[in-house]
């Protein structure tokens, strides 16, 4: 009876090499063609888990959580100072799909600071903003602008509390004049007060009250 011989099936070498090249688990520093480098965990050849990325073009560093090749979870992002070359932390907080999302704190180049919620890389939700002129806004945000209900306290101790829309006072609100000890309560539209009433509010403690009190209507 004739014996049939079947050729031995061998896997091509390139498949074995490709399998060995797939990054999975903890790895040492991996350098990209453009000079970027990543040190950390991998899954199915994608950054996944804890890791640190350094971008060669800008020198920026991200250290934190990754998910399928994108920043996702908790992490911090820092950039080098153009003069001193020392690293300055820009953002610390939560990420989703490579964008700031969830609670986080961001430091701006001019010294301003934001603490609060993010969505899609923009300030959205509740947050507190410390401005360069020492004024502070605390309240709701939408797409990087005050939107909803919030309170703005100016450096001269005047404050506004009420509605906002697209970064401007809009809707019912109250504006307190600290030096005069007066309170304006009314309705705003695009930062302009349209109608309302002015009353004395803390006049006796005001640094520079008006000569005569406002008569009650």
């Amino acid at each position: 009876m004739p014996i049939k011989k079947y050729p031995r099936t061998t896997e091509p070498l390139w498949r074995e090499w490709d399998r060995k090249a797939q990054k999975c688990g903890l790895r040492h520093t991996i350098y990209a063609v453009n000079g970027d480098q990543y040190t950390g965990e991998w899954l199915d050849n994608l950054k996944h888990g804890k890791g640190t990325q350094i971008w060669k073009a800008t020198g920026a560093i991200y250290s934190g959580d990754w998910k399928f090749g994108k920043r996702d979870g908790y992490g911090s992002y820092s950039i080098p100072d153009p003069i001193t070359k020392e690293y300055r932390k820009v953002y610390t907080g939560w990420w989703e799909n490579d964008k700031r999302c969830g609670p986080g704190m961001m430091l701006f180049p001019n010294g301003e600071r934001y603490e609060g919620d993010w969505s899609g890389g923009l300030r959205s939700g509740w947050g507190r903003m410390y401005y360069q002129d020492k004024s502070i806004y605390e309240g709701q945000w939408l797409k990087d602008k005050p939107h909803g209900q919030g309170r703005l306290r100016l450096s001269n101790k005047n404050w506004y509390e009420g509605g906002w829309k697209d970064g401007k006072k809009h809707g019912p609100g109250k504006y307190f004049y600290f030096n005069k000890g007066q309170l304006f309560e009314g309705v705003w539209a695009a930062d302009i007060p349209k109608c309302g009433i002015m009353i004395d509010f803390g006049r006796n403690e005001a640094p520079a009250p008006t000569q005569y009190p406002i008569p009650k209507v």
Side-chain angles (χ1 to χ4, degrees):
M1 184 175 180
I3 299 174
K4 285 188 177 181
K5 292 185 178 181
Y6 296 95
R8 181 180 297 177
T9 57
T10 57
E11 186 179 54
L13 285 177
W14 68 265
R15 287 189 179 178
E16 182 182 354
W17 295 338
D18 184 66
R19 186 170 58 252
K20 290 181 178 180
Q22 296 295 310
K23 295 177 284 293
C24 187
L26 183 62
R27 289 291 183 111
H28 294 295
T29 302
I30 303 296
Y31 293 88
V33 177
N34 60 3
D36 295 348
Q37 50 182 293
Y38 172 81
T39 306
E41 297 176 302
W42 297 79
L43 179 65
D44 295 335
N45 213 36
L46 295 172
K47 304 179 188 80
H48 191 90
K50 300 288 185 182
T52 300
Q53 169 92 12
I54 302 177
W55 287 268
K56 181 176 176 58
T58 61
I61 295 179
Y62 169 80
S63 181
D65 296 325
W66 295 80
K67 188 175 180 180
F68 300 119
K70 296 182 178 180
R71 291 169 288 187
D72 199 298
Y74 187 84
S76 62
Y77 179 79
S78 305
I79 60 174
D81 186 275
I83 300 176
T84 64
K85 304 302 180 183
E86 294 183 359
Y87 275 91
R88 176 177 62 86
K89 194 165 289 187
V90 175
Y91 176 80
T92 302
W94 292 89
W95 302 73
E96 183 177 317
N97 198 28
D98 220 30
K99 294 182 179 179
R100 294 181 291 271
C101 188
M105 182 185 72
M106 184 166 184
L107 298 173
F108 295 86
N110 59 2
E112 295 181 345
R113 183 172 87 253
Y114 173 80
E115 301 172 354
D117 296 327
W118 297 79
S119 179
L122 302 175
R123 291 167 287 186
S124 293
W126 182 93
R128 184 187 294 115
M129 183 73 187
Y130 298 86
Y131 293 97
Q132 191 176 19
D133 61 359
K134 306 302 182 183
S135 60
I136 301 173
Y137 171 81
E138 183 176 3
Q140 295 175 306
W141 292 76
L142 181 65
K143 295 181 179 179
D144 247 5
K145 294 181 179 180
H147 191 98
Q149 293 294 312
R151 176 175 177 173
L152 175 66
R153 187 178 67 186
L154 303 174
S155 56
N156 59 7
K157 296 186 179 181
N158 291 354
W159 56 262
Y160 168 82
E161 183 175 354
W164 295 80
K165 183 179 180 180
D166 296 329
K168 297 180 179 180
K169 304 178 203 58
H170 194 89
K174 300 176 182 179
Y175 194 100
F176 174 64
Y177 297 87
F178 174 76
N179 285 336
K180 297 180 179 180
Q182 293 179 337
L183 177 69
F184 176 82
E185 185 172 358
V187 178
W188 273 258
D191 251 358
I192 300 174
K194 293 296 183 179
C195 62
I197 59 172
M198 181 81 78
I199 62 174
D200 286 327
F201 187 83
R203 172 184 170 82
N204 296 333
E205 294 80 21
T210 55
Q211 185 176 0
Y212 301 104
I214 299 174
K216 295 183 179 181
V217 179

